[in-house]
Amino acid sequence: MYRPESTRTGYKRSRQAIACRRDSLTPLAKNGIGHGMVSSGFAIEGKPIGQGHPCFVVAEIAQTHDGSLGTCHAYIDAAAKAGASAIKFQTHIAAAESTPSETFRVKFSPQDATRYDYWKRMEFTPEQWAGLAQHARDKRLVFLSTPFSFEAVEVLLKTGIAAWKAGSGETNNYPFLKKLAETGKPVLLSSGVSPWSDLDKAVETVRGAGAPVGVYQCTTAYPCPPDSWGLNVIGQIRDRYHCPVGFSDHSGTPHAGLAAAALGANMIEVHVTFSRECFGPDVPASITTSELAQLIEGVRRIETALANPVDKDAMANKLGHLRDLFGKSVVAARDLPRGLRLSREDLALKKPGTGIPAAQLETVIGKELARDVPADTLLSISDFSS
């Protein structure tokens, strides 16, 4: 049975229970990353994440605020209105995470000579980050932000952040992952550029340092085309790590998130923008805030459907009145005289289905009529000679 593990103590109890079974596990499982482990969930600010709980939907703002603090606050209001579980930003400190020689997307911006300059423009003060975190909590959103340096971790710790999202580029940065995990807060790993070997080591690092872990399937492409979504990997992650599994969506459409929900993703993170006409490198991979609301509505409906499996026979019995309404019965194709031995040409199949069922047509052929039957009359057993 699922039990939220929002504290380090709870996680240690879980590890002790698992340790009792280690001798029966595969070598990979003995490292806490393979088959045989008990599926483990956790909670973030009281919101349980894992099997049997609502999908944790994260509105990823990234840099669509384009360095505007006011726009960040506006996104918090919009995400709350859309029904998101959490809002996520990215905490960049240029001097701590990058060098001026970084070439990624250097020429995308007319106002930033280098990517380093862009990261500088995305920076906020610790007090501003604390204000964003408080605003999110006031709106009953979990506040998340991806740190890209040890210095950013320290800034976010002061905001009271409840969990960590590690970007795809940090999956093999094991010292960094260990730092995150040693806080005891859940660590949510992206896997966009990682082979299984890196991801195995990342999960082992987080668990070894005493923190719960969740893993997102994603492919680092902006926007990400359907043939690279990797929906098949959602189940593979769940089977491999026995932890909450998510889907980090860069498709720029609501479709991928809905598909992930239908496959049972416990977490969905989706990039969000106010408009596709906004400026910024993340906009092409984002959905609008109105589409976010539609996505969340769809996710909740899918959850309801998955939680209520249908028994076809029981449903058919429940809908028996509709089966009578829309079904077909054997009827007279024309005026039929008494004594006529019925042939196929004498018979038609028409609604409603309250007479002799269409499925029994062959049993009627050859019967002799005991009375005259007008055209379009539903035949009954009493119409036949004994």
Side-chain angles (χ1 to χ4, degrees):
M1 178 180 295
Y2 169 82
R3 181 175 64 188
E5 293 179 357
S6 57
T7 66
R8 192 168 181 176
T9 300
Y11 179 76
K12 286 181 177 178
R13 284 198 299 266
S14 177
R15 286 177 60 84
Q16 289 167 358
I18 291 167
C20 294
R21 303 174 56 227
R22 289 174 69 91
D23 289 342
S24 63
L25 305 182
T26 64
L28 195 60
K30 289 180 180 180
N31 289 329
I33 56 178
H35 295 284
M37 275 200 66
V38 177
S39 183
S40 180
F42 48 81
I44 301 177
E45 291 189 351
K47 297 185 179 183
I49 300 173
Q51 296 303 100
H53 297 286
C55 184
F56 188 73
V57 181
V58 181
E60 162 70 280
I61 306 308
Q63 273 68 246
T64 53
H65 56 75
D66 200 41
S68 165
L69 182 65
T71 301
C72 288
H73 282 284
Y75 271 120
I76 291 173
D77 291 333
K81 182 179 178 181
S85 311
I87 190 164
K88 191 179 84 66
F89 298 94
Q90 295 181 4
T91 301
H92 293 281
I93 301 175
E97 73 179 69
S98 184
T99 66
S101 63
E102 182 185 359
T103 59
F104 181 56
R105 289 175 174 164
V106 165
K107 300 184 183 301
F108 79 91
S109 168
Q111 58 186 312
D112 304 305
T114 67
R115 185 67 171 179
Y116 184 91
D117 293 337
Y118 177 68
W119 294 137
K120 287 288 294 182
R121 194 160 59 81
M122 296 302 108
E123 292 180 8
F124 296 120
T125 67
E127 293 75 21
Q128 289 170 330
W129 281 118
L132 290 170
Q134 187 57 53
H135 185 183
R137 294 187 188 105
D138 290 343
K139 290 294 183 176
R140 298 185 178 180
L141 291 171
V142 172
F143 170 78
L144 298 172
S145 189
T146 300
F148 288 86
S149 62
F150 288 100
E151 289 83 346
V153 171
E154 296 304 321
V155 169
L156 291 173
L157 278 171
K158 294 175 183 178
T159 70
I161 197 165
W164 302 107
K165 170 67 188 300
S168 292
E170 311 296 344
T171 307
N172 63 356
N173 186 352
Y174 306 122
F176 186 72
L177 296 181
K178 184 178 180 182
K179 170 69 174 179
L180 299 182
E182 285 176 343
T183 67
K185 304 176 188 293
V187 178
L188 312 179
L189 299 171
S190 266
S191 60
V193 296
S194 301
W196 286 116
S197 56
D198 283 358
L199 205 51
D200 287 347
K201 179 65 174 177
V203 170
E204 183 180 356
T205 298
V206 171
R207 283 178 165 158
V213 68
V215 180
Y216 282 97
Q217 159 54 16
C218 67
T219 299
T220 302
Y222 302 88
C224 186
D227 59 5
S228 296
W229 290 352
L231 294 173
N232 61 297
V233 182
I234 293 174
Q236 294 173 8
I237 290 173
R238 179 179 291 113
D239 291 343
R240 193 177 186 95
Y241 303 122
H242 299 273
C243 69
V245 58
F247 184 77
S248 182
D249 181 15
H250 311 142
S251 70
T253 76
H255 309 143
L258 293 172
L263 292 172
N266 308 122
M267 306 175 289
I268 294 174
E269 178 182 292
V270 60
H271 283 251
V272 176
T273 182
F274 281 127
S275 167
R276 289 191 174 86
E277 296 178 349
C278 287
F279 170 78
D282 293 312
V283 171
S286 301
I287 64 174
T288 65
T289 51
S290 61
E291 289 173 330
L292 173 64
Q294 294 172 3
L295 169 67
I296 293 170
E297 179 185 11
V299 168
R300 300 305 174 217
R301 292 189 176 194
I302 290 168
E303 288 175 339
T304 299
L306 292 176
N308 292 275
V310 170
D311 181 303
K312 286 296 288 182
D313 288 337
M315 184 61 72
N317 288 334
K318 181 179 179 181
L319 301 177
H321 64 291
L322 294 179
R323 189 165 64 251
D324 291 343
L325 179 63
F326 297 121
K328 299 292 180 63
S329 298
V330 180
V331 305
R334 55 185 177 83
D335 291 338
L336 302 176
R338 175 184 177 183
L340 177 68
R341 194 166 295 279
L342 296 171
S343 66
R344 177 63 182 86
E345 291 72 22
D346 299 321
L347 306 171
L349 302 176
K350 297 184 179 182
K351 291 184 284 189
T354 54
I356 298 173
Q360 297 180 21
L361 173 65
E362 294 298 324
T363 68
V364 175
I365 295 173
K367 297 284 189 181
E368 182 180 334
L369 290 177
R371 65 178 183 88
D372 294 339
V373 179
D376 279 341
T377 299
L378 275 66
L379 292 172
S380 68
I381 298 299
S382 62
D383 293 327
F384 306 137
S385 300
S386 56

